[in-house]
Amino acid sequence: ANLAGSLALVTCREPLKASVSTHLRQLLINNATGSSGGGANPPPTPQLSEQEQNALEQCVAICATDNLELGCMLIEKAATEKAVRDMDEALAPALNARKKHREQTGQPFYDMSIFSNSGQRYPAGLPEPLRPKPGGLRSDQLLVYEAFQRMPRQPTFLASQQQGGTAGSVPQSGSANAVGAPASASSTVTKESGAVATQQKINVEALSAVAGKIDTAVTTLLGAAGPRAAEITLAMLPPDHEVRQLLTAAQRITALASDADGSHVLNSTEKDAVLGFAQGIFKHLYELSLTEPLRLEANVGLLEVLNECCPQLGQDLGTWATYAPTENEGQRKLHRAILLLLLRSRLVASTELDAYLSRITEGGRNSVWVEFVVVFVRTAVLEKICSPSDLPKVMEILTKIVEGRGQFSHQIIQNIRKPILRLLEELRPGSPSPSLQAPAGSSVPSN
């Protein structure tokens, strides 16, 4: 949709300016000469003097220029909305098929017919880096689509007030001051112009550049660490390390949208941009590995920064987590580690997580998720991320399994009841539990 709007914008500017000028000129001439311009044989049109003609052309030029930007935005908006409607209509059958397949089987849907139909130009006609493979798009292919995500266009009078802002202020190689606050004249607007714009916009492009530099810095550090890369955590890095300075730089970017009292009030456009960027980071978490805890923590650190300026993110993260890939044991282990990191960072409320965990266990009848929850609770308490009282619904389910209050499968009773009983004994107040001392320097929750 954004691409369609951009294409319409590129092609409409000059024709729109010419059309507006022509119609406005004719209207002014008809009004000045008293001619209606209609009929089969219109009366002769009085000629304008040279001075009147110059004044008319000047008026036409000024009016056309002043309204050109508004006209372009309306055309772009109309093209974008039409593209959304057309794409929704075109994709509806495919989406319904995928939804029906997931509801019936619980497995991802793969349309293998595109690889067997030799009569189609695509995807065979695509270059190799963009050609889809069985199993879904890779992260580098998704970047092609994410590249079209951008901030909607802004009127010229708003854009001109942001010239000295964050555009181009991308942090340089670990310098925390590389993304500094712009001059006060550029970052804020006087009270007289407050009705037009009151705050510097969040520069999502700069945040994206910081995220890229953080990923590069982590890769460099882990490469230098060699076999000990899995032992490096964010807590081990000194305050002046490049990764920490880049996280500070991200905070400075989001701080540009704060009011004088330090509070963040985002409009709908800014909120959508921040949430879209955060969703990309969240998806990237599930493409990472548990053998690189520093990379996981750095990305969660970025989410913490974004949550400070957009509290809506904390509510959406709980929803996004319910759609995380958990088809196999490896994915579930990564999912557990990410949930623990989000809980430790207070990005997800313990009440929301408690409801989610109790729901996926199906009241204690799903042995796979009951085992998941047992390890989750033990790790959360061990790492001092939360206490058992923060997860009342989960603890109630585990207690029912131990006491036999409910209809549970033989597998749960036989294989999981003993670990649950041992866990509840460890969590009982006053019981000796030396194993529940958090290890020094622990950072990423263990699995």
PDB file of all heavy atoms in Angstrom, residues 139-167:
ATOM      1  N   SER A 139      14.606 -14.284   7.097  1.00  0.00           N
ATOM      2  CA  SER A 139      14.649 -12.936   7.670  1.00  0.00           C
ATOM      3  C   SER A 139      15.141 -11.921   6.650  1.00  0.00           C
ATOM      4  O   SER A 139      14.652 -10.791   6.600  1.00  0.00           O
ATOM      5  CB  SER A 139      15.551 -12.928   8.909  1.00  0.00           C
ATOM      6  OG  SER A 139      16.852 -13.377   8.570  1.00  0.00           O
ATOM      7  N   ASP A 140      16.128 -12.288   5.800  1.00  0.00           N
ATOM      8  CA  ASP A 140      16.631 -11.333   4.824  1.00  0.00           C
ATOM      9  C   ASP A 140      15.600 -11.039   3.737  1.00  0.00           C
ATOM     10  O   ASP A 140      15.571  -9.949   3.167  1.00  0.00           O
ATOM     11  CB  ASP A 140      17.932 -11.853   4.195  1.00  0.00           C
ATOM     12  CG  ASP A 140      17.745 -13.227   3.563  1.00  0.00           C
ATOM     13  OD1 ASP A 140      16.977 -14.026   4.126  1.00  0.00           O
ATOM     14  OD2 ASP A 140      18.366 -13.498   2.516  1.00  0.00           O
ATOM     15  N   GLN A 141      14.709 -12.014   3.454  1.00  0.00           N
ATOM     16  CA  GLN A 141      13.649 -11.756   2.493  1.00  0.00           C
ATOM     17  C   GLN A 141      12.571 -10.856   3.079  1.00  0.00           C
ATOM     18  O   GLN A 141      11.998 -10.027   2.372  1.00  0.00           O
ATOM     19  CB  GLN A 141      13.046 -13.086   2.040  1.00  0.00           C
ATOM     20  CG  GLN A 141      14.001 -13.935   1.210  1.00  0.00           C
ATOM     21  CD  GLN A 141      13.442 -15.316   0.920  1.00  0.00           C
ATOM     22  OE1 GLN A 141      12.691 -15.861   1.730  1.00  0.00           O
ATOM     23  NE2 GLN A 141      13.816 -15.896  -0.213  1.00  0.00           N
ATOM     24  N   LEU A 142      12.293 -11.015   4.369  1.00  0.00           N
ATOM     25  CA  LEU A 142      11.296 -10.149   5.015  1.00  0.00           C
ATOM     26  C   LEU A 142      11.733  -8.700   5.026  1.00  0.00           C
ATOM     27  O   LEU A 142      10.905  -7.782   5.040  1.00  0.00           O
ATOM     28  CB  LEU A 142      11.042 -10.627   6.448  1.00  0.00           C
ATOM     29  CG  LEU A 142      10.239 -11.927   6.589  1.00  0.00           C
ATOM     30  CD1 LEU A 142      10.199 -12.368   8.030  1.00  0.00           C
ATOM     31  CD2 LEU A 142       8.819 -11.746   6.074  1.00  0.00           C
ATOM     32  N   LEU A 143      13.053  -8.458   5.004  1.00  0.00           N
ATOM     33  CA  LEU A 143      13.554  -7.085   4.994  1.00  0.00           C
ATOM     34  C   LEU A 143      13.083  -6.331   3.763  1.00  0.00           C
ATOM     35  O   LEU A 143      12.924  -5.103   3.795  1.00  0.00           O
ATOM     36  CB  LEU A 143      15.086  -7.086   5.060  1.00  0.00           C
ATOM     37  CG  LEU A 143      15.709  -7.530   6.383  1.00  0.00           C
ATOM     38  CD1 LEU A 143      17.228  -7.570   6.262  1.00  0.00           C
ATOM     39  CD2 LEU A 143      15.300  -6.589   7.505  1.00  0.00           C
ATOM     40  N   VAL A 144      12.866  -7.039   2.649  1.00  0.00           N
ATOM     41  CA  VAL A 144      12.387  -6.385   1.432  1.00  0.00           C
ATOM     42  C   VAL A 144      11.023  -5.752   1.682  1.00  0.00           C
ATOM     43  O   VAL A 144      10.747  -4.633   1.244  1.00  0.00           O
ATOM     44  CB  VAL A 144      12.308  -7.409   0.279  1.00  0.00           C
ATOM     45  CG1 VAL A 144      11.720  -6.765  -0.971  1.00  0.00           C
ATOM     46  CG2 VAL A 144      13.681  -7.984  -0.020  1.00  0.00           C
ATOM     47  N   TYR A 145      10.166  -6.465   2.418  1.00  0.00           N
ATOM     48  CA  TYR A 145       8.845  -5.937   2.711  1.00  0.00           C
ATOM     49  C   TYR A 145       8.918  -4.848   3.789  1.00  0.00           C
ATOM     50  O   TYR A 145       8.211  -3.838   3.717  1.00  0.00           O
ATOM     51  CB  TYR A 145       7.915  -7.069   3.162  1.00  0.00           C
ATOM     52  CG  TYR A 145       7.700  -8.114   2.095  1.00  0.00           C
ATOM     53  CD1 TYR A 145       8.519  -9.234   2.012  1.00  0.00           C
ATOM     54  CD2 TYR A 145       6.688  -7.977   1.159  1.00  0.00           C
ATOM     55  CE1 TYR A 145       8.330 -10.194   1.025  1.00  0.00           C
ATOM     56  CE2 TYR A 145       6.483  -8.926   0.169  1.00  0.00           C
ATOM     57  CZ  TYR A 145       7.314 -10.036   0.104  1.00  0.00           C
ATOM     58  OH  TYR A 145       7.128 -10.969  -0.859  1.00  0.00           O
ATOM     59  N   GLU A 146       9.749  -5.077   4.792  1.00  0.00           N
ATOM     60  CA  GLU A 146       9.850  -4.101   5.876  1.00  0.00           C
ATOM     61  C   GLU A 146      10.449  -2.791   5.398  1.00  0.00           C
ATOM     62  O   GLU A 146      10.263  -1.749   6.019  1.00  0.00           O
ATOM     63  CB  GLU A 146      10.700  -4.688   7.017  1.00  0.00           C
ATOM     64  CG  GLU A 146      10.015  -5.868   7.717  1.00  0.00           C
ATOM     65  CD  GLU A 146      10.917  -6.514   8.746  1.00  0.00           C
ATOM     66  OE1 GLU A 146      12.079  -6.091   8.851  1.00  0.00           O
ATOM     67  OE2 GLU A 146      10.453  -7.445   9.442  1.00  0.00           O
ATOM     68  N   ALA A 147      11.191  -2.839   4.273  1.00  0.00           N
ATOM     69  CA  ALA A 147      11.784  -1.604   3.749  1.00  0.00           C
ATOM     70  C   ALA A 147      10.721  -0.614   3.307  1.00  0.00           C
ATOM     71  O   ALA A 147      10.982   0.591   3.231  1.00  0.00           O
ATOM     72  CB  ALA A 147      12.709  -1.928   2.575  1.00  0.00           C
ATOM     73  N   PHE A 148       9.515  -1.099   2.998  1.00  0.00           N
ATOM     74  CA  PHE A 148       8.449  -0.200   2.568  1.00  0.00           C
ATOM     75  C   PHE A 148       7.715   0.434   3.749  1.00  0.00           C
ATOM     76  O   PHE A 148       6.852   1.285   3.545  1.00  0.00           O
ATOM     77  CB  PHE A 148       7.445  -0.956   1.691  1.00  0.00           C
ATOM     78  CG  PHE A 148       8.008  -1.355   0.355  1.00  0.00           C
ATOM     79  CD1 PHE A 148       8.194  -2.689   0.041  1.00  0.00           C
ATOM     80  CD2 PHE A 148       8.368  -0.403  -0.575  1.00  0.00           C
ATOM     81  CE1 PHE A 148       8.713  -3.062  -1.185  1.00  0.00           C
ATOM     82  CE2 PHE A 148       8.890  -0.763  -1.805  1.00  0.00           C
ATOM     83  CZ  PHE A 148       9.065  -2.101  -2.110  1.00  0.00           C
ATOM     84  N   GLN A 149       8.032  -0.018   4.957  1.00  0.00           N
ATOM     85  CA  GLN A 149       7.442   0.632   6.123  1.00  0.00           C
ATOM     86  C   GLN A 149       8.141   1.957   6.340  1.00  0.00           C
ATOM     87  O   GLN A 149       9.357   2.017   6.445  1.00  0.00           O
ATOM     88  CB  GLN A 149       7.599  -0.239   7.371  1.00  0.00           C
ATOM     89  CG  GLN A 149       6.806  -1.537   7.299  1.00  0.00           C
ATOM     90  CD  GLN A 149       6.974  -2.361   8.560  1.00  0.00           C
ATOM     91  OE1 GLN A 149       7.731  -1.998   9.449  1.00  0.00           O
ATOM     92  NE2 GLN A 149       6.271  -3.476   8.630  1.00  0.00           N
ATOM     93  N   ARG A 150       7.373   3.004   6.427  1.00  0.00           N
ATOM     94  CA  ARG A 150       7.967   4.323   6.576  1.00  0.00           C
ATOM     95  C   ARG A 150       6.954   5.238   7.261  1.00  0.00           C
ATOM     96  O   ARG A 150       5.765   4.949   7.294  1.00  0.00           O
ATOM     97  CB  ARG A 150       8.345   4.923   5.226  1.00  0.00           C
ATOM     98  CG  ARG A 150       7.166   5.007   4.263  1.00  0.00           C
ATOM     99  CD  ARG A 150       7.549   5.661   2.962  1.00  0.00           C
ATOM    100  NE  ARG A 150       6.441   5.666   2.034  1.00  0.00           N
ATOM    101  CZ  ARG A 150       5.437   6.511   2.041  1.00  0.00           C
ATOM    102  NH1 ARG A 150       5.379   7.436   2.999  1.00  0.00           N
ATOM    103  NH2 ARG A 150       4.472   6.448   1.159  1.00  0.00           N
ATOM    104  N   MET A 151       7.450   6.353   7.744  1.00  0.00           N
ATOM    105  CA  MET A 151       6.553   7.325   8.325  1.00  0.00           C
ATOM    106  C   MET A 151       5.718   7.982   7.225  1.00  0.00           C
ATOM    107  O   MET A 151       6.239   8.290   6.161  1.00  0.00           O
ATOM    108  CB  MET A 151       7.352   8.406   9.058  1.00  0.00           C
ATOM    109  CG  MET A 151       8.099   7.904  10.269  1.00  0.00           C
ATOM    110  SD  MET A 151       7.006   7.548  11.633  1.00  0.00           S
ATOM    111  CE  MET A 151       6.583   9.214  12.135  1.00  0.00           C
ATOM    112  N   PRO A 152       4.416   8.177   7.431  1.00  0.00           N
ATOM    113  CA  PRO A 152       3.616   8.880   6.435  1.00  0.00           C
ATOM    114  C   PRO A 152       4.168  10.272   6.190  1.00  0.00           C
ATOM    115  O   PRO A 152       4.794  10.868   7.066  1.00  0.00           O
ATOM    116  CB  PRO A 152       2.221   8.943   7.076  1.00  0.00           C
ATOM    117  CG  PRO A 152       2.206   7.817   8.052  1.00  0.00           C
ATOM    118  CD  PRO A 152       3.621   7.702   8.560  1.00  0.00           C
ATOM    119  N   ARG A 153       3.906  10.766   4.991  1.00  0.00           N
ATOM    120  CA  ARG A 153       4.404  12.099   4.647  1.00  0.00           C
ATOM    121  C   ARG A 153       3.787  13.161   5.540  1.00  0.00           C
ATOM    122  O   ARG A 153       2.676  13.034   6.012  1.00  0.00           O
ATOM    123  CB  ARG A 153       4.060  12.416   3.180  1.00  0.00           C
ATOM    124  CG  ARG A 153       4.944  11.715   2.197  1.00  0.00           C
ATOM    125  CD  ARG A 153       4.384  11.699   0.801  1.00  0.00           C
ATOM    126  NE  ARG A 153       3.505  12.809   0.502  1.00  0.00           N
ATOM    127  CZ  ARG A 153       3.910  14.035   0.142  1.00  0.00           C
ATOM    128  NH1 ARG A 153       5.197  14.303   0.081  1.00  0.00           N
ATOM    129  NH2 ARG A 153       3.049  14.981  -0.139  1.00  0.00           N
ATOM    130  N   GLN A 154       4.526  14.233   5.741  1.00  0.00           N
ATOM    131  CA  GLN A 154       4.070  15.322   6.583  1.00  0.00           C
ATOM    132  C   GLN A 154       4.019  16.596   5.755  1.00  0.00           C
ATOM    133  O   GLN A 154       4.779  16.748   4.799  1.00  0.00           O
ATOM    134  CB  GLN A 154       5.017  15.530   7.763  1.00  0.00           C
ATOM    135  CG  GLN A 154       5.136  14.317   8.648  1.00  0.00           C
ATOM    136  CD  GLN A 154       6.233  14.494   9.670  1.00  0.00           C
ATOM    137  OE1 GLN A 154       7.009  15.429   9.594  1.00  0.00           O
ATOM    138  NE2 GLN A 154       6.297  13.582  10.609  1.00  0.00           N
ATOM    139  N   PRO A 155       3.138  17.517   6.100  1.00  0.00           N
ATOM    140  CA  PRO A 155       3.099  18.777   5.383  1.00  0.00           C
ATOM    141  C   PRO A 155       4.435  19.500   5.455  1.00  0.00           C
ATOM    142  O   PRO A 155       5.208  19.328   6.382  1.00  0.00           O
ATOM    143  CB  PRO A 155       1.999  19.564   6.124  1.00  0.00           C
ATOM    144  CG  PRO A 155       1.163  18.516   6.781  1.00  0.00           C
ATOM    145  CD  PRO A 155       2.096  17.402   7.125  1.00  0.00           C
ATOM    146  N   THR A 156       4.680  20.350   4.472  1.00  0.00           N
ATOM    147  CA  THR A 156       5.965  21.035   4.378  1.00  0.00           C
ATOM    148  C   THR A 156       6.253  21.873   5.608  1.00  0.00           C
ATOM    149  O   THR A 156       7.381  21.928   6.095  1.00  0.00           O
ATOM    150  CB  THR A 156       5.987  21.928   3.121  1.00  0.00           C
ATOM    151  OG1 THR A 156       5.686  21.110   1.986  1.00  0.00           O
ATOM    152  CG2 THR A 156       7.334  22.582   2.937  1.00  0.00           C
ATOM    153  N   PHE A 157       5.232  22.533   6.165  1.00  0.00           N
ATOM    154  CA  PHE A 157       5.498  23.416   7.293  1.00  0.00           C
ATOM    155  C   PHE A 157       5.915  22.635   8.531  1.00  0.00           C
ATOM    156  O   PHE A 157       6.593  23.169   9.412  1.00  0.00           O
ATOM    157  CB  PHE A 157       4.281  24.310   7.602  1.00  0.00           C
ATOM    158  CG  PHE A 157       3.034  23.563   7.948  1.00  0.00           C
ATOM    159  CD1 PHE A 157       2.810  23.107   9.230  1.00  0.00           C
ATOM    160  CD2 PHE A 157       2.086  23.310   6.973  1.00  0.00           C
ATOM    161  CE1 PHE A 157       1.656  22.418   9.539  1.00  0.00           C
ATOM    162  CE2 PHE A 157       0.926  22.621   7.281  1.00  0.00           C
ATOM    163  CZ  PHE A 157       0.709  22.178   8.554  1.00  0.00           C
ATOM    164  N   LEU A 158       5.519  21.339   8.623  1.00  0.00           N
ATOM    165  CA  LEU A 158       5.985  20.518   9.742  1.00  0.00           C
ATOM    166  C   LEU A 158       7.383  19.992   9.479  1.00  0.00           C
ATOM    167  O   LEU A 158       8.220  19.962  10.362  1.00  0.00           O
ATOM    168  CB  LEU A 158       5.034  19.349   9.970  1.00  0.00           C
ATOM    169  CG  LEU A 158       3.708  19.661  10.671  1.00  0.00           C
ATOM    170  CD1 LEU A 158       2.876  18.393  10.775  1.00  0.00           C
ATOM    171  CD2 LEU A 158       3.946  20.251  12.037  1.00  0.00           C
ATOM    172  N   ALA A 159       7.615  19.567   8.232  1.00  0.00           N
ATOM    173  CA  ALA A 159       8.921  19.016   7.905  1.00  0.00           C
ATOM    174  C   ALA A 159      10.013  20.062   8.043  1.00  0.00           C
ATOM    175  O   ALA A 159      11.129  19.781   8.471  1.00  0.00           O
ATOM    176  CB  ALA A 159       8.913  18.463   6.489  1.00  0.00           C
ATOM    177  N   SER A 160       9.698  21.305   7.704  1.00  0.00           N
ATOM    178  CA  SER A 160      10.723  22.350   7.774  1.00  0.00           C
ATOM    179  C   SER A 160      11.135  22.641   9.202  1.00  0.00           C
ATOM    180  O   SER A 160      12.257  23.083   9.457  1.00  0.00           O
ATOM    181  CB  SER A 160      10.185  23.636   7.123  1.00  0.00           C
ATOM    182  OG  SER A 160       9.059  24.115   7.841  1.00  0.00           O
ATOM    183  N   GLN A 161      10.232  22.378  10.176  1.00  0.00           N
ATOM    184  CA  GLN A 161      10.567  22.625  11.572  1.00  0.00           C
ATOM    185  C   GLN A 161      11.452  21.534  12.145  1.00  0.00           C
ATOM    186  O   GLN A 161      11.966  21.648  13.238  1.00  0.00           O
ATOM    187  CB  GLN A 161       9.283  22.725  12.402  1.00  0.00           C
ATOM    188  CG  GLN A 161       8.468  23.974  12.060  1.00  0.00           C
ATOM    189  CD  GLN A 161       7.193  24.015  12.851  1.00  0.00           C
ATOM    190  OE1 GLN A 161       6.845  23.062  13.520  1.00  0.00           O
ATOM    191  NE2 GLN A 161       6.489  25.129  12.769  1.00  0.00           N
ATOM    192  N   GLN A 162      11.619  20.430  11.348  1.00  0.00           N
ATOM    193  CA  GLN A 162      12.378  19.299  11.860  1.00  0.00           C
ATOM    194  C   GLN A 162      13.720  19.147  11.164  1.00  0.00           C
ATOM    195  O   GLN A 162      14.382  18.136  11.289  1.00  0.00           O
ATOM    196  CB  GLN A 162      11.582  18.009  11.676  1.00  0.00           C
ATOM    197  CG  GLN A 162      10.256  18.050  12.428  1.00  0.00           C
ATOM    198  CD  GLN A 162       9.413  16.837  12.118  1.00  0.00           C
ATOM    199  OE1 GLN A 162       9.882  15.907  11.493  1.00  0.00           O
ATOM    200  NE2 GLN A 162       8.177  16.840  12.535  1.00  0.00           N
ATOM    201  N   GLN A 163      14.136  20.145  10.388  1.00  0.00           N
ATOM    202  CA  GLN A 163      15.366  20.029   9.626  1.00  0.00           C
ATOM    203  C   GLN A 163      16.570  19.804  10.518  1.00  0.00           C
ATOM    204  O   GLN A 163      17.512  19.118  10.164  1.00  0.00           O
ATOM    205  CB  GLN A 163      15.580  21.300   8.777  1.00  0.00           C
ATOM    206  CG  GLN A 163      14.563  21.446   7.652  1.00  0.00           C
ATOM    207  CD  GLN A 163      14.678  20.315   6.653  1.00  0.00           C
ATOM    208  OE1 GLN A 163      15.768  19.872   6.347  1.00  0.00           O
ATOM    209  NE2 GLN A 163      13.555  19.829   6.160  1.00  0.00           N
ATOM    210  N   GLY A 164      16.579  20.405  11.697  1.00  0.00           N
ATOM    211  CA  GLY A 164      17.724  20.247  12.593  1.00  0.00           C
ATOM    212  C   GLY A 164      17.566  19.113  13.574  1.00  0.00           C
ATOM    213  O   GLY A 164      18.288  19.037  14.557  1.00  0.00           O
ATOM    214  N   GLY A 165      16.611  18.204  13.310  1.00  0.00           N
ATOM    215  CA  GLY A 165      16.309  17.140  14.248  1.00  0.00           C
ATOM    216  C   GLY A 165      17.226  15.954  14.104  1.00  0.00           C
ATOM    217  O   GLY A 165      18.403  16.075  13.811  1.00  0.00           O
ATOM    218  N   THR A 166      16.638  14.790  14.259  1.00  0.00           N
ATOM    219  CA  THR A 166      17.452  13.589  14.350  1.00  0.00           C
ATOM    220  C   THR A 166      17.843  13.022  13.004  1.00  0.00           C
ATOM    221  O   THR A 166      18.584  12.070  12.941  1.00  0.00           O
ATOM    222  CB  THR A 166      16.680  12.506  15.120  1.00  0.00           C
ATOM    223  OG1 THR A 166      15.460  12.235  14.433  1.00  0.00           O
ATOM    224  CG2 THR A 166      16.398  12.947  16.528  1.00  0.00           C
ATOM    225  N   ALA A 167      17.305  13.562  11.908  1.00  0.00           N
ATOM    226  CA  ALA A 167      17.659  13.002  10.613  1.00  0.00           C
ATOM    227  C   ALA A 167      19.154  13.080  10.411  1.00  0.00           C
ATOM    228  O   ALA A 167      19.765  14.136  10.492  1.00  0.00           O
ATOM    229  CB  ALA A 167      16.934  13.769   9.501  1.00  0.00           C
TER     230      ALA A 167
END
